Amino acid sequence: MNSDIVLVCPVTEPYVRRSEHDAAWFMGRVLSRLIAASGVGKADIDGLCLSSFTLAPDGPAPFLQYAGMSVRMLDWIPTGGACGIMAARRAIRAVAAGDAEIVACLAGDTANAGSFRDLLEGFSVFSRDAVYPYGAGGPNASFALITDHYMRKYGAVREDFGHLAVAQRRNAQGNPNALLRSPMTMEDYLGARPVASPIHLLDCVMPCAGGDGFLVMTRARADALGLASVRLLASIERHNAFSDDPMQERGGWLLDRDALWSKAGVGPQDMDAVQTYDDYPVISMLQFEGLGFCGQGEAASFLRGRDLTATGDLPHNTGGGQLSCGQAGAAGGYLGLVEAMRQLTGVATSQVARARHVLVSGFGMINYDRGLCTAAAVLAE
Amino acid sequence: MMRSQAMREMDHAAAGGMVALQSCAYCGMAQYPPRSLCHACLSADLAWSRALSIEGVVLAATVLHHSHEPDFRSALPLRVGMVHLDCGPQAVCFVQVAEPGTRVRVTATLDAQGRAVLTAQPFSMPKETMG
């Protein structure tokens, strides 16, 4: 079903550490790049899926007037790390249903001196009431608790997380869009200063400004435009799963992964690359477990002997991931998806030799004590 | 300072040295953070109980070396943990112990901004921190 609908034109508005531009500018720049990359006119885009954390007080409708657009399908997906996959799912269904012919899916955010603090303080009611007053550690503190629990319960050690981070940095070295490209050793990783134990500096993603996006249309339209396209074989999403677990140690992928692989017609062993949401490394481990690469709590030992670079036996976060690229707000939820599209169309900066199937996974929204949103998609050439 | 209406009940209690805990008057479910409906049965009939302290077990802990707020920076490093309250929910607390499994007594005080904050102390302090 829907195999005649495809994803095309992964674009990135380059990430920058700080910007005087507002979020709408980054989103508009992504839109402009989508138009340039595809050859369609702005008026041909009749559907829009948007995500941003720093667009406030504006939402999706004000953005239409800002960018001079009129659409017949408009979606706002404020789910952070899960938003890219969710956008692809919604866009494909919209095209299949005839609600739109060409849907632009994009996320963009700005970053300046006060924006990250403002975002954290006002992130959610529960966070504002019951997390922020405890030292204002932000996501570092929340993920530190999740990581502390995971390490104690399952025996993972810092080197296991470093194994992911070091490989990702190597993957980032050819990626001009990665903010952190200088070589990094395990010694560098282990020697980083503590931020919120057991989280250290090189476990943390760097907040930045930037944007990412892609278009969804019929294969016939993509072919007529001469665009390299990618198919979405299967996808899942699940929100607020396992809410009775005292500490988060698994995510909603677990509930739907059998349906994902069954519909995709392939399995974890068939993936030529895996793009997880790596904010923070422990969350990547939960994705390997939740999506069936290994059992619960086994990710550290599963990954220990594997080469996670683009030329390795399990290429992971092949563009560098957020740990090396930075986290441009909601665009972090698109990063794995646009990298997967680049791998499958042979234009990645650290290209996997024969990329035919790529898994993308997302995780988002630490509302109080855990991430609420999970999603995954299997993409094919 | 932004604060939810439900959380203000905890602030008022903390001003008197008490922990206020919200539960559902209809189904009895306790919940934290407090909110305007019962998360289990969606009843709006919520009740508050007050106590000098409540009890729980430390699930995980961290030592913060960085804060996004200047006011906290002079107090760093700060020890923060997740406590599984005996009545059901989990609460982020300042903790005086790092070891998961430690039984703790949780009390509420007002911080400099008038917010109720929870602090978890072990029932018996380890020897090295005594007197």
Side-chain angles (χ1 to χ4, degrees), chain B residues 57-73:
Chain B
V57 177
V58 175
L59 292 173
T62 180
V63 179
L64 295 185
H65 296 274
H66 173 266
S67 173
H68 295 283
E69 288 292 337
D71 289 353
F72 284 117
R73 286 183 194 144

Side-chain angles (χ1 to χ4, degrees), chain A residues 168 171 274-278 284 315-322 339:
Chain A
Q168 288 184 207
N171 288 338
V274 177
Q275 315 293 343
T276 67
Y277 190 83
D278 57 332
S284 291
H316 174 240
N317 289 354
T318 44
Q322 296 181 82
E339 171 64 14

Side-chain angles (χ1 to χ4, degrees), chain A residues 111-133:
Chain A
N112 53 56
S115 65
F116 191 61
R117 196 207 67 91
D118 292 347
L119 175 63
L120 296 182
E121 186 178 19
F123 192 75
S124 71
V125 172
F126 285 180
S127 172
R128 195 181 64 203
D129 276 356
V131 184
Y132 201 73

